[in-house]
Each structure stands twice: as C-alpha cells, then as structure tokens.
C-alpha cells in the first residue's frame, strides 16, 4: 500500500492571547488548517512540540476541534503563548514568550517518517530561534523527497532571526514567501539595498534557484515571481476584523492550489481572495465559504 503523503506545517504551535481571550495560533498550524480545507484535513498535519501542562491539553482539543492532524511530542518546557495587541486598524503586534516547548521540537522517528513522505512543507524563521528546533527543521527538510514543495514563509518576528538562519533556509526551500517590509530588511542584510522591489525579487529568485517567490504588500497587492513570469493581484477592499492568520491562509490556499495543478495566476488569485476573507473574520482559523473552497479544488 502506498504511504500517505502529507502537507506539513512545521514550527511553532502556540496560543495568541488577544484582548478578547486566547486563540490557537502559530503560522504552521494556520497553514496546515487552510491547506487542509482544500486538500482534506486528513492529508495535512501540524508538527511542533507541547509542554507537559494544561495548556498542552487545550491545544490538542482545539486542533481536533478544527479537524487538524498533529504530531506534537511533549517536552519539559511550557506550551507557547504570545501576547497580541491590536491597533485601531486591527494590525497585530506580538510579544512572544521564549524558551517554550516549540523551541525544543525533537527530531524523533515519527517526525522523520513524515519527512520521508512529505508532499509539501511550510516553515519559517521564528521556530529556528533555538538550536534544537532549528536542527529538527533542517533535518526534516533534508529528509524530504526530491519533489517536495518546501515553502519558506520567512515571517520575521522581533529580533528572532539572523542572516545565517535566513541563508540556510533560502538554500533549503524552493518557494520563498516574504512581505514588502521583510524584503527591505533582507535587502539591507544581504547587501542589495538600492534595487527596486521587483529587481530585488528577481535577484533572490535567481540567486537561490527558487521555483517561486511570493511577495505580499498589504493593501498594495501581491506578486508571484517564477522564472520568466510575474503575476500581480490587487488586494480586495474588505472590512477588517483582524489580520491574524491572513498571511498563513494565503500560503496554505496557494500551496493547495499549486498541488492541485492550478496555474500560478489562478492559485495566486485564490490565495488573495482567501486571505481577504480571513481578514473579515476574528481569529486565524475561520471556516471558508463553499464558493471559495470550490475555486481551489
């Protein structure tokens, strides 16, 4: 019997503590959830680590409530939390607790088995701030099949990244997802600050031999660069509840559409529509309406 091939969100699983209460979050779980709305939740999985505490049990319950598969070994550190403050436009700022469970994801036999049968994986820079999880992420990526889609959703947070971490990740991915502010930082850090946005993207695409570079620019639209081609989509105007998880929903739906064989421009359009819808909802994991789901299948 053929082994199931998973789409994986790998990294931080945590609780966003918002003014109105706490909600399950973390980019990898959000990614897996949204990809799973299109591909079927039994085909997606969130991989992280949890503490040996009550919040860990709540995490499992919340993931199951959303129909998410998970591989979450317990480690002797507290389950992760993030204090989230929203400004008047619903834009979040984060205070991310350190030395927590997801900083210490072990590369065990179960995780290695998923890596060997991975169809696509999304990872970021935040979960690589500690050597333990960084090593696990690198070993996971190195163990994936040759045809695996490896998305580096750069997701720069506070001071939790270095040039070395970013470079190692760029060398291991085949799709980079980045926003306009992060692109400016990368330009300074890697020594090409003078180029315009598009030329920076073409340069990174070629330098790291990427299949795609996805650039999101908030209300100013988004781009997908592939060798020899560029797709641009305007950002729809919507009434924003909050933007938490909107970027992850973009990545998850884009990945699902690409895996389903959709052309880049079609996958891009779907991702924009999905993330716009998520902005109109509270929290990172709303159920998508049937008309959106139909476009991605």
């Amino acid at each position: 019997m053929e082994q199931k091939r998973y789409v994986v969100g790998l990294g931080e699983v945590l609780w966003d503590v918002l003014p109105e209460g706490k909600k399950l979050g973390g980019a990898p779980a959000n990614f897996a959830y949204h990809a799973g709305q299109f591909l079927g939740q039994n085909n997606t999985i969130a991989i992280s680590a949890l503490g040996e505490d009550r919040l860990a049990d709540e995490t499992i319950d919340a993931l199951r409530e959303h129909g998410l598969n998970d591989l979450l070994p317990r480690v002797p550190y507290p389950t992760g939390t993030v204090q989230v403050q929203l400004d008047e436009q619903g834009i979040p700022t984060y205070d991310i607790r350190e030395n927590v469970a997801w900083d210490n994801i072990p590369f065990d036999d179960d995780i290695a088995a998923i890596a060997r049968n991975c169809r696509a994986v999304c990872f970021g820079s935040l979960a690589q701030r500690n050597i333990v999880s960084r090593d696990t992420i690198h070993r996971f990526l190195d163990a994936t099949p040759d045809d695996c889609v490896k998305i580096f959703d750069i997701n720069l947070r506070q001071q939790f990244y270095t040039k070395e971490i970013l470079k190692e990740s760029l060398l291991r991915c085949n799709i980079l997802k980045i926003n306009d502010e992060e692109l400016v930082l990368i330009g300074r850090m890697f020594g090409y600050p003078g180029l315009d946005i598009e030329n920076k993207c073409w340069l990174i695409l070629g330098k790291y031999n990427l299949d795609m570079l996805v650039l999101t620019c908030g209300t100013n639209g988004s781009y997908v660069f592939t060798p020899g081609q560029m797709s641009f989509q305007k950002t729809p105007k919507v009434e924003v509840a909050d933007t938490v998880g909107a970027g992850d929903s973009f990545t998850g739906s884009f990945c699902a559409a690409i895996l389903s064989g959709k052309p880049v421009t079609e996958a891009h359009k779907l991702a924009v529509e999905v993330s716009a819808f998520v902005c109109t909802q509270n929290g990172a994991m709303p159920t998508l309406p049937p008309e959106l789901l139909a476009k991605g299948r």
Side-chain angles (χ1 to χ4, degrees):
M1 191 174 76
E2 191 182 352
Q3 178 76 34
K4 179 193 284 286
R5 295 195 66 189
Y6 281 107
V7 174
V8 176
L10 174 61
E12 66 275 13
V13 167
L14 45 82
W15 288 87
D16 289 320
V17 184
L18 295 141
E20 72 272 15
K22 69 179 191 298
K23 288 194 168 73
L24 186 66
N30 296 340
F31 165 83
Y33 171 74
H34 285 289
Q37 290 200 81
F38 293 97
L39 299 171
Q41 296 295 8
N42 62 331
N43 296 312
T44 60
I45 188 164
I47 298 179
S48 187
L50 296 175
E52 295 158 343
D53 50 25
R54 209 166 101 193
L55 200 52
D57 299 328
E58 288 185 48
T59 308
I60 298 287
D61 291 344
L63 289 171
R64 301 278 156 84
E65 208 175 285
H66 284 93
L68 256 174
N69 288 309
D70 58 74
L71 186 50
L72 302 167
R74 300 288 181 105
V75 294
Y77 297 87
T79 298
T81 55
V82 177
Q83 296 293 326
V84 184
Q85 301 293 330
L86 300 174
D87 69 13
E88 288 171 6
Q89 282 77 47
I91 308 298
T93 55
Y94 304 92
D95 179 20
I96 304 166
R97 189 173 174 189
E98 295 188 63
N99 205 26
V100 292
W102 58 260
D103 285 314
N104 296 278
I105 306 167
F107 189 72
D108 60 20
D109 290 345
D110 291 337
I111 290 175
I114 296 288
R116 288 192 297 271
N117 293 288
C118 183
R119 189 179 179 203
V121 56
C122 184
F123 67 103
S125 61
L126 180 56
Q128 297 185 65
R129 66 183 181 175
N130 186 43
I131 185 66
V132 178
S133 290
R134 190 186 322 147
D135 181 61
T136 292
I137 289 169
H138 287 181
R139 289 173 70 182
F140 186 100
L141 294 168
D142 293 348
T144 56
D146 290 343
D147 64 347
C148 180
V149 174
K150 291 174 279 196
I151 304 167
F152 179 34
D153 188 352
I154 197 164
N155 223 0
L156 301 180
R157 292 282 181 262
Q158 293 167 216
Q159 75 285 6
F160 299 126
Y161 58 91
T162 64
K163 184 177 179 180
E164 189 57 33
I165 286 171
L166 301 182
K167 189 173 179 185
E168 282 294 325
S169 298
L170 284 164
L171 290 168
R172 282 179 164 87
C173 74
N174 42 41
I175 298 178
L176 170 65
K177 179 167 175 279
I178 191 167
N179 68 32
D180 49 352
E181 291 175 4
E182 290 165 342
L183 187 65
V184 171
L185 285 168
I186 296 299
R188 288 193 195 125
M189 193 181 272
F190 284 82
Y192 26 87
L195 298 174
D196 66 21
I197 278 184
E198 288 186 24
N199 281 324
K200 273 195 187 103
C201 291
W202 288 121
L203 179 69
I204 294 167
L205 186 81
K207 187 175 173 65
Y208 292 98
N209 198 27
L210 302 175
D211 294 331
M212 296 180 207
L213 187 154
V214 180
L215 173 69
T216 57
C217 302
T219 55
N220 296 318
S222 57
Y223 302 78
V224 180
F225 297 84
T226 59
Q229 187 189 0
M230 184 189 80
S231 167
F232 173 78
Q233 290 285 335
K234 289 181 178 175
T235 302
K237 285 185 168 60
V238 294
E239 194 158 319
V240 174
D242 70 54
T243 62
V244 179
D248 306 322
S249 72
F250 183 114
T251 316
S253 51
F254 181 79
C255 176
I258 292 294
L259 291 176
S260 299
K262 304 281 185 203
V264 167
T265 47
E266 208 175 305
H268 185 192
K269 189 169 189 298
L270 174 72
V272 166
E273 290 178 18
V274 168
S275 60
F277 172 80
V278 171
C279 284
T280 68
Q281 308 295 303
N282 284 309
M285 295 187 188
T287 301
L288 296 177
E291 60 271 20
L292 268 183
L293 292 173
K295 291 181 181 182
R297 289 175 175 157

